[in-house]
Amino acid sequence: MKVPFVSFVPMHKEIENEVLTKFKKVYENNWFIQGDEVDKFENEFAKFCDAKYCVGCATGLDALYLILRGYDIGYGDEVIVPSNTYIATALAVSYTGANPVFVEPYIDTYNINPELIEKAITKNTKAIIAVHLYGQAADMDKINSIAKRHNLKVIEDSAQSHGTLYKGRKTGSLGDAAGFSFYPGKNLGALGDAGAVVTSDEKLASKIRAIANYGSDRKYHHIYKGINSRLDEVQASFLRIKLRNLEKWNENRRLTASKYMEKINNSKLVKPAVGNNTNHVWHIFAVRTEERDEFQKYLKENEIGTVIHYPVPMHMQDAYKDLPYNAGDLPIAEKISKEVISLPMWYGMTDDEINYVIEKINSWK
Ligand SMILES: *Cc1c(COP(=O)(O)O)cnc(C)c1O
């Protein structure tokens, strides 16, 4: 049996007719950037996140960058970022001219350890980016209270946490503002690149809307040196249809995860741990093993797809040679990068597929 790491087939089959009918409408409408579909999606997604405003943009990276720009973060500033995240979190900071300062995660939940944040704060620190890695929420109460004490902004990187609940509240509503990605593989994915900022800060939302649209609040009048990062009608119309199914699709991932959790029992693997105050939308189901490369090779031989999220921590990337970090400085991130491996996880996996993955994993020696 072949089990790919990800498949869109069951998801896309379910909505195919609705999507194609909608695309015809958008096509005939002859309005392609920031129209009615974008408006509606923004309202629906803000509501979904229990927040007041949503501003669509081109990517998740842009969403984070736009939030930082909206708070005037730039040269000379520092922003706290987890040491184990996708590089976009750090790049958003670098694009503004500010520097990312890496803080280590917990080894069990893989989310940033708030106890270590305070030590990393300097007089230049302006914000903390909390990443809800793999689909469970970071420890937001602790992060918010540290931020409050030091007068810092809290930005959620919600690229992997569409629909996650923290103490009953949605990610996207837990800090000052949140960046979402709708990269195709995310739990809510477009048919290409797309992203959004979610916030209940009205001033920030309107400033970001302007920055993302060449810095203009009226056509040909530019109040900021903005960028072009806009959501388009085709993507918004597709995202609206998918959003209506998201809770159901997340629930299906949860069911798959619970089967993995219950039945995977190979003692060479560490299964994921879910924090106390959060649920999980299982964007990624990551396990750890000291023999990761052998494990990946074994699964490949058995036609089971896996991906490493992520093999090289940011401070060891060539792109960040300029930052004052060396190998060994962030041992938890380094350990995770050597041991972590993500198992197949997508909406509509069959019991046969799930059981095959479990069986093969349990018989790995
Ligand atoms: C995917 C992702 C991003 C970036 O999103 P893009 O839409 O690809 O720009 C940012 N942060 C995290 C944690 C991600 O997983």
Side-chain angles (χ1 to χ4, degrees), residues 61 65 86-96 100 314 319-320:
L61 170 61
Y65 168 76
Y86 182 54
I87 197 165
T89 319
L91 285 177
V93 176
S94 303
Y95 283 2
T96 68
M314 290 166 295
Y320 276 124

Side-chain angles (χ1 to χ4, degrees), residues 153-221:
K153 295 295 179 194
V154 174
I155 299 163
E156 298 174 77
D157 180 338
S158 300
Q160 304 189 358
S161 70
H162 313 74
T164 304
L165 291 172
Y166 173 82
K167 296 191 173 176
R169 288 153 54 214
K170 285 267 173 63
T171 57
S173 70
L174 304 170
D176 292 289
F180 282 88
S181 164
F182 306 122
Y183 174 80
K186 306 287 158 117
N187 285 35
L188 179 61
L191 285 172
D193 278 315
V197 173
V198 168
T199 183
S200 290
D201 178 341
E202 187 183 2
K203 249 177 68 187
L204 181 77
S206 56
K207 186 170 174 185
I208 284 174
R209 195 174 285 290
I211 295 172
N213 191 21
Y214 287 108
S216 68
D217 57 349
R218 294 180 284 150
K219 209 163 189 181
Y220 307 127
H221 295 260

Side-chain angles (χ1 to χ4, degrees), residues 6-35:
V6 68
S7 165
F8 301 120
V9 173
M11 191 183 256
H12 286 184
K13 270 230 163 74
E14 261 182 39
I15 57 173
E16 181 173 321
N17 289 337
E18 201 181 346
V19 166
L20 295 181
T21 308
K22 181 60 112 179
F23 282 177
K24 188 154 189 285
K25 271 201 183 137
V26 172
Y27 183 74
E28 286 166 354
N29 221 12
N30 277 304
W31 186 278
F32 301 108
I33 303 269
Q34 288 186 325

Side-chain angles (χ1 to χ4, degrees), residues 52-70:
K52 287 196 184 137
Y53 308 100
C54 168
V55 182
C57 61
T59 68
L61 170 61
D62 282 1
L64 295 169
Y65 168 76
L66 287 164
I67 295 166
L68 295 162
R69 282 283 310 271

